Amino acid sequence: MTILLHTTGIDPKPWLAAIEAQAPRSPVISAMDADRFAEVRQAWVWKPPPGVLGLLPKLEVIVNLGAGVDAILADTTVPQHIPIIRAVDPNITMRMTEWVALQVLFHHRQVPAYLAQQRQGTWRQLPQKAASALTVGILGLGVLGRSAAKPLMGLGFRIAGWSRTPKHGLGFDTYHGEAGLGPFLANTDILVCLLPLTPQTIGLINIALLRRPRRTGPLGGGILINGGRGGQQVGADILQALGEGTLVGASLDVFETEPLPASSPFWSHPKVVITPHVAADSDPEAMTAYVLEQLARHAAGQTMDNLVDRNSGY
Ligand code: NDP
Ligand code: OXD
């Protein structure tokens, strides 16, 4: 059962080692081995070169080594009938949950202001508000959004969530669809994005949206935290919102162009925290075990978990 392994921008060696250790009888080839494409049954990929998945005549399953499948779905040459499994793993979920909690607390506890004071040798105590004075609004109530909400609720933040379809029983206020976006934003102080990139979410975080969250809370303006995809945000609009005070801070893990170009004004912006698309990495060993479990289900004629729905785009 030959596997094509391709990981753009990520070292493939830990993936190769994990596959060799856990599936020793599966030969692994790379996208450079075109002479062996005819034998490939599985493609384990992260951002594969456009076109390559359409060159594998015996391909049975595509394994996306990350959670977001936008790069694969953007490639029109990918055969439509091949199932795509995406990464859903407690390791990824908890890493994202940590990242979101870290960024929310970073802004709530005014770390940027204290760091600026520290650089100037200033000892000044700023007013301190309880978490319960703020609502964290989470765009996307999937695996990651629902998990991120839990520790924030435990800390006392009020939570609001927005999804495509209605949600019930999550223990916080939920909104859905276009009609729900306005009331959701009006009830939000800190906006967290954990959406997939789809035709509906491209450019969603623009100046019109950024002006809608509440700005009467203790932070004096909005906070944007994006761990979803860079294509969902309009960089120039975020800078505009920061400039006019609509936003008083932003934490961005994802960008329209990655790596973030050296010329980007985000690098030196005093109100912006940048992490280089590391909010939640896939762990090769854990992910390989999960994929092999799913493939065993597939081989036994059972339905695999977390299959991508091409119609909804995630
Ligand atoms: P899921 O598919 O589990 O959840 C997606 C959520 O987004 C669902 O609640 C879905 O609504 C909602 N959604 C999708 N489209 C819309 C829309 N048009 N309007 C409103 N809500 C919408 O995904 P995950 O939680 O696993 O991952 C989310 C994203 O996080 C990934 O696609 C990826 O882009 C990003 N990610 C980033 C990482 C990083 O390191 N920065 C790491 C991992 C993931 P519904 O529930 O109704 O279907
Ligand atoms: C992603 C991931 O989808 O890293 O960004 O899993």
Side-chain angles (χ1 to χ4, degrees), residues 67-70 86-88 92 96 140-145 162-165 167 177 194-198 200-201 227-229 232 253-254 277-281 314:
V69 288
D70 41 290
R86 70 183 192 95
V88 175
I92 298 178
M96 182 61 86
L141 294 176
V143 178
L144 301 182
W162 184 68
S163 53
R164 193 170 58 84
T165 57
K167 298 281 174 284
L194 292 174
L195 287 166
L197 186 67
T198 70
Q200 290 72 39
T201 65
R229 278 288 179 274
Q232 292 152 356
D253 185 59
V254 288
H277 200 142
V278 291
D281 289 345
Y314 57 98

Side-chain angles (χ1 to χ4, degrees), residues 152-299:
L152 296 174
M153 274 196 288
L155 286 165
F157 290 99
R158 295 189 305 248
I159 305 292
W162 184 68
S163 53
R164 193 170 58 84
T165 57
K167 298 281 174 284
H168 304 284
L170 294 184
F172 53 83
D173 292 343
T174 54
Y175 305 81
H176 67 276
E178 272 183 44
L181 186 58
F184 161 81
L185 291 168
N187 186 23
T188 288
D189 299 288
I190 297 180
L191 184 65
V192 174
C193 179
L194 292 174
L195 287 166
L197 186 67
T198 70
Q200 290 72 39
T201 65
I202 289 177
L204 180 75
I205 305 171
N206 54 34
I207 191 68
L209 180 139
L210 291 170
R211 286 181 177 149
R212 289 164 83 181
R214 198 167 34 215
R215 275 174 266 160
T216 50
L219 298 174
I223 301 287
L224 171 67
I225 296 175
N226 192 0
R229 278 288 179 274
Q232 292 152 356
Q233 70 200 15
V234 181
D237 287 11
I238 296 175
L239 292 166
Q240 183 182 344
L242 287 163
E244 69 189 23
T246 299
L247 284 179
V248 293
S251 293
L252 306 174
D253 185 59
V254 288
F255 296 89
E256 293 151 289
T257 305
E258 295 180 5
L260 184 63
S263 59
S264 169
F266 281 126
W267 282 116
S268 55
H269 200 294
K271 294 181 180 163
V272 176
V273 177
I274 291 173
T275 51
H277 200 142
V278 291
D281 289 345
S282 299
D283 174 66
E285 285 179 26
M287 183 62 192
T288 297
Y290 162 79
V291 171
L292 294 176
E293 186 190 314
Q294 295 305 318
L295 295 174
R297 290 170 64 91
H298 186 52

Side-chain angles (χ1 to χ4, degrees), residues 105-127:
L105 288 172
F106 183 84
H107 295 285
H108 167 57
R109 294 308 304 260
Q110 304 175 79
V111 177
Y114 284 120
L115 286 175
Q117 288 190 184
Q118 182 179 340
R119 282 191 287 273
Q120 292 163 358
T122 302
W123 181 275
R124 185 158 65 95
Q125 290 151 348
L126 303 172

